[in-house]
Amino acid sequence: MEPGVFRSDFLDASSLSTAAQRIGAYDGTPAHATLEWSDTANHTQLGGPVKGAALIYEVTGGDKLPGHLALGRDAIERQLVKIGSIQDDLAAWRDRSAATACDDAA
């Protein structure tokens, strides 16, 4: 399962503990970007927890479990970007990578 962000208390002080002071050396880094995002994202996340839980229940009650289950539009978008990146890497190196097989390999 690859969940997106769900509207919950996960990003507030009841469950997320942050340092009293931020280290200036990390300004402009993903670490501070994430902290700044969490300040504004709390209780505005896209995902509905009840809807997400209902889908998980539905999927796990089925006959065949998916290998991957993206929950939420944001999770779908992240997975599509990741798939595109993997496809680009494979295309760029496919011939060279395949050429590493032993000469007698079928």
Side-chain angles (χ1 to χ4, degrees):
M1 179 173 49
E2 292 103 16
V5 290
F6 281 81
R7 198 166 295 178
S8 66
D9 292 332
F10 183 71
L11 296 176
D12 69 21
S14 69
S15 61
L16 181 65
S17 176
T18 58
Q21 294 182 322
R22 296 183 181 178
I23 299 171
Y26 290 103
D27 286 347
T29 68
H32 276 192
T34 299
L35 287 172
E36 290 164 9
W37 170 82
S38 70
D39 291 341
T40 60
N42 192 35
H43 297 289
T44 64
Q45 299 94 324
L46 292 175
V50 173
K51 291 178 179 181
L55 180 57
I56 293 168
Y57 181 80
E58 178 185 338
V59 168
T60 57
D63 293 333
K64 184 175 186 234
L65 295 175
H68 300 275
L69 178 63
L71 292 175
R73 290 187 312 233
D74 53 338
I76 293 168
E77 287 302 316
R78 273 197 318 274
Q79 289 300 310
L80 290 173
V81 168
K82 181 178 178 181
I83 289 166
S85 175
I86 291 169
Q87 288 176 323
D88 291 346
D89 288 345
L90 286 171
W93 291 96
R94 182 180 186 133
D95 293 341
R96 299 278 309 273
S97 183
T100 63
C102 292
D103 292 336
D104 61 353

